[in-house]
Each structure stands twice: as C-alpha cells, then as structure tokens.
Amino acid sequence: TYLTQLNSGQFTLDEYEAILAAKNAGIIYPEDGKFYVIKSVSNSKYINVKSAGGIYADADTPTAGSIVKAVIRNGHTYFATQGKEFGWCYSSSNKALLDAAGGGKYAHFSDITVPGQVAFAHCIGNGEGSYAPYLDLSYYTVGEGNQICGGGANAAASQWIFEEATSVTVALNDGNDGYNYATLCTPFSYTVSDATTTAYTLEDAGNGWLSPTAVEDNEVPAGTPVLLKGTSSSATLTIGTSYEATPVTSTALTGVYIETTIVGGTDYVLGIDEGGVVGFYHWNQSSLAANRAYVIGNGSSVKGFVLSWDDETGLKNLNVNDNLNKVVYDLSGRRIQKPTKGLYIVNGKKVMVK
C-alpha cells in the first residue's frame, strides 16, 4: 500500500522512508547468540516454559524458563530454551519443545502496525524447508489458560515484544534457620549478583557425606545444578553468554531444565522436615518442577541429608542424618528425635544445625 501511494505521488521518497522508520521503531529482531524474553501484548505476561508440552504466557516477571537464546542457522532464526527448541506439537494444537540441533522449527516474523510489536511463527511442516502451507495459523498465540497455541498473525494475542535478557530473578524459600534456599539448574550461564547469596555445588564425599563447594566468584557455568543459600527471599542472576543443551551430571545434584519425573520416596528434594530442619528429603510427589535439582536415591536407608553449616571454621558440610538414621543427642546427653537449631552430638561428633 505504501509503495502504491509512493508511486502515485501521494508522498515523496523521504516521507515514505519516514513512515517505514516510524512503523518499525522499537521492534527488536533477535540476533544470533543473544538471550531474550518474549512478552505478550494481549496480557502483558512473559513466555514461561515449564515442560516439553507446556509453553505458557503466564509469568508476571521473567523466570528462568522465560530465557530464550536466538540461534541463526542457514539464514533461519531458531529459539533455544530449556535444552530444546521451540516447535509445534504434532499431537495437539498447543506449541511444544522439540529436540535442539536442527530438530526445532525456525521462526518467521510478521510486522505489526504498532511500533515495537511483532508476530512470530514456526514451521510445522515435515522438514525445515516445508513451511508455506502452514504459515497462516502457525503464529504463536496466547490461548486457553494462557498456554501457547497457533493462531493468525493479526490477532491481538499473536502480538509480542522481544526484550533482550540481561538478568533474571529467582525466588529463595525460607529455610527456618535464618537463611533462604533454592536449587537451580539453567541451560544458560549466570553470575549470582547479590552479595547475600552464594551458589554451591555438591559432591559425594563418601562415608555418607555430601560436600558443598562455593562456586568461584558466584559464576555458575551453563547447565550446572547448584544449591543457592542467601539471606534474602530472592536472588538476581546476571545472564552470561554460554548455553548447554544438557545439564551437567558430574555433581551429587542432578539438575532438570523442564518438569521431570522423579522416584517419590526414593529420590531427595530440598525441603523442611516435620522438625523444622532444612535438608534434602524423600518426597511423596512424582515430579520435579522446571529448573530445579535433586539428589538421586541410591537404594540406601538414608532418610535425608540435613544441612549442617559450620560457620565458625568456614568449613561447610552437608551431613547425612541416618535417622533421620543416626542417633542424635543434645549436649546434656538427651536423645533428640527431631533436632532444630543448635549444637548436637551425632555419632560422637559435634554437629551444628542452624
């Protein structure tokens, strides 16, 4: 339409270029290797990837599952997130994640007349080059329950704003000991920016112990599962540049990017027992939420791993409590069934529970 008006003399070339500049002002087209979050124009919420088949626009602020990396291959733009890539779920009308490294479907963009907004779609044909018959209804659209489905590019729910992602905030849960905790595993690297929060990796030290090590400079490599400990209810992560499609498996913690089935009553997840002591315990649920980490059960009779932080010496150990499985006494020699805060004797050794 603009070209027709230009050719008919309704306005000059300078006016035509000014119209185009105003129309495209503020639109961010993803660049290769950069991280983004994607906000819906219709409900002002961010895309939040929870599972392979669960992509939603339901986050008021970006979450770890909101971070996407733009990857340009052979002139096509792909979006990597949670170790996979955006695609189309063949078994339903909802969008889903597909295997990365070429298995995802590349993006198509359509300008919207409102500056700063864009519609984007993905190929749902058989193969990366088969897309033309599917473009009309393959745009990302906010559907029922804020889940992402397919729709026309001109629908209000199909319009999005791309924002470059430089940081994200994660919640820490009250550990009932003066600190807040969370497990975390993300495909992108990050630095914990808050001075009040420290990231720890956990290693199997043998003899029934897990040994935490503070991550150097709080710079967590991509894919590394960690335990966060801080004095605030949240921690800010400054997003790095690296990305790992598969979580690191060389630690005692096993990380997950998307919602994952775990063995209830066997595996250990972060929580607080009935006595109010924070640690890793058996859970009666069968799934773990996205971007979390847990300790895989090894078939032993250990009921939990109590966090025992020795702040006086600077040595920080996670002590396996077998009774949880070991007999616990206070300093007066009385047997304690459910230790809370304080100094105890466990198998002849002093253990501080804070």
Side-chain angles (χ1 to χ4, degrees):
T1 301
Y2 293 152
L3 282 174
T4 299
Q5 293 174 326
L6 173 65
N7 293 332
S8 65
Q10 294 186 41
F11 44 70
T12 67
L13 180 60
D14 288 341
E15 290 173 330
Y16 168 71
E17 291 178 342
I19 290 173
L20 293 185
K23 175 178 176 292
N24 292 315
I27 292 181
I28 294 178
Y29 291 102
E31 299 178 34
D32 186 39
K34 288 189 175 181
F35 291 96
Y36 298 88
V37 291
I38 309 171
K39 183 169 69 174
S40 169
V41 172
S42 63
N43 65 7
S44 297
K45 296 182 182 294
Y46 291 89
I47 280 183
N48 184 22
V49 180
K50 302 176 183 179
S51 63
I55 306 176
Y56 295 82
D58 65 353
D60 292 323
T61 58
T63 68
S66 299
I67 309 301
V68 301
K69 180 181 181 181
V71 180
I72 297 179
R73 297 193 301 268
N74 300 321
H76 298 307
T77 301
Y78 300 79
F79 291 116
T81 184
Q82 305 291 57
K84 296 181 180 292
E85 291 181 351
F86 281 169
W88 182 273
C89 181
Y90 291 101
S91 61
S92 72
S93 61
N94 294 325
K95 299 288 187 177
L97 299 182
L98 300 175
D99 289 337
K105 301 301 182 181
Y106 57 85
H108 306 272
F109 299 95
S110 176
D111 292 352
I112 301 298
T113 55
V114 179
Q117 299 179 20
V118 66
F120 73 104
H122 284 265
C123 163
I124 59 172
N126 295 320
E128 294 184 357
S130 175
Y131 64 87
Y134 307 97
L135 279 177
D136 290 343
L137 293 178
S138 67
Y139 286 88
Y140 267 39
T141 302
V142 181
E144 183 177 357
N146 288 332
Q147 190 165 8
I148 304 304
C149 58
N154 293 324
S158 294
Q159 300 176 24
W160 303 88
I161 297 173
F162 282 80
E163 299 174 357
E164 189 170 351
T166 57
S167 66
V168 65
T169 300
V170 297
L172 304 182
N173 299 307
D174 186 2
N176 198 36
D177 62 352
Y179 294 96
N180 296 286
Y181 300 90
T183 60
L184 185 66
C185 185
T186 68
F188 53 88
S189 59
Y190 60 86
T191 300
V192 182
S193 305
D194 302 293
T196 60
T197 303
T198 302
Y200 296 90
T201 57
L202 300 183
E203 301 291 343
D204 185 352
N207 299 320
W209 286 79
L210 295 179
S211 176
T213 301
V215 176
E216 186 175 0
D217 296 327
N218 258 349
E219 296 178 356
V220 181
T224 303
V226 296
L227 172 69
L228 299 177
K229 176 188 178 185
T231 55
S232 300
S233 60
S234 64
T236 299
L237 315 179
T238 299
I239 298 171
T241 58
S242 61
Y243 182 92
E244 289 290 340
T246 304
V248 176
T249 58
S250 61
T251 66
L253 280 175
T254 296
V256 303
Y257 291 158
I258 58 177
E259 184 178 286
T260 301
T261 299
I262 63 174
V263 182
T266 299
D267 296 326
Y268 305 92
V269 299
L270 183 65
I272 300 177
D273 73 350
E274 294 179 354
V277 181
V278 65
F280 286 85
Y281 304 105
H282 292 316
W283 199 30
N284 61 0
Q285 302 295 317
S286 60
S287 63
L288 188 66
N291 301 113
R292 298 290 186 268
Y294 67 107
V295 178
I296 295 178
N298 58 8
S300 71
S301 59
V302 173
K303 295 181 180 178
F305 298 81
V306 173
L307 276 71
S308 301
W309 304 89
D310 186 350
D311 292 329
E312 294 180 0
T313 65
L315 298 176
K316 298 175 173 63
N317 293 311
L318 277 171
N319 187 18
V320 174
N321 185 328
D322 289 315
N323 203 27
L324 314 185
N325 282 320
K326 295 180 180 178
V327 179
V328 180
Y329 298 92
D330 64 15
L331 297 185
S332 300
R334 295 175 298 181
R335 183 168 179 173
I336 304 298
Q337 295 293 332
K338 297 178 179 179
T340 55
K341 298 179 182 179
L343 188 62
Y344 298 91
I345 306 298
V346 182
N347 280 18
K349 297 180 179 180
K350 290 184 179 180
V351 174
M352 176 65 73
V353 177
K354 297 191 70 177

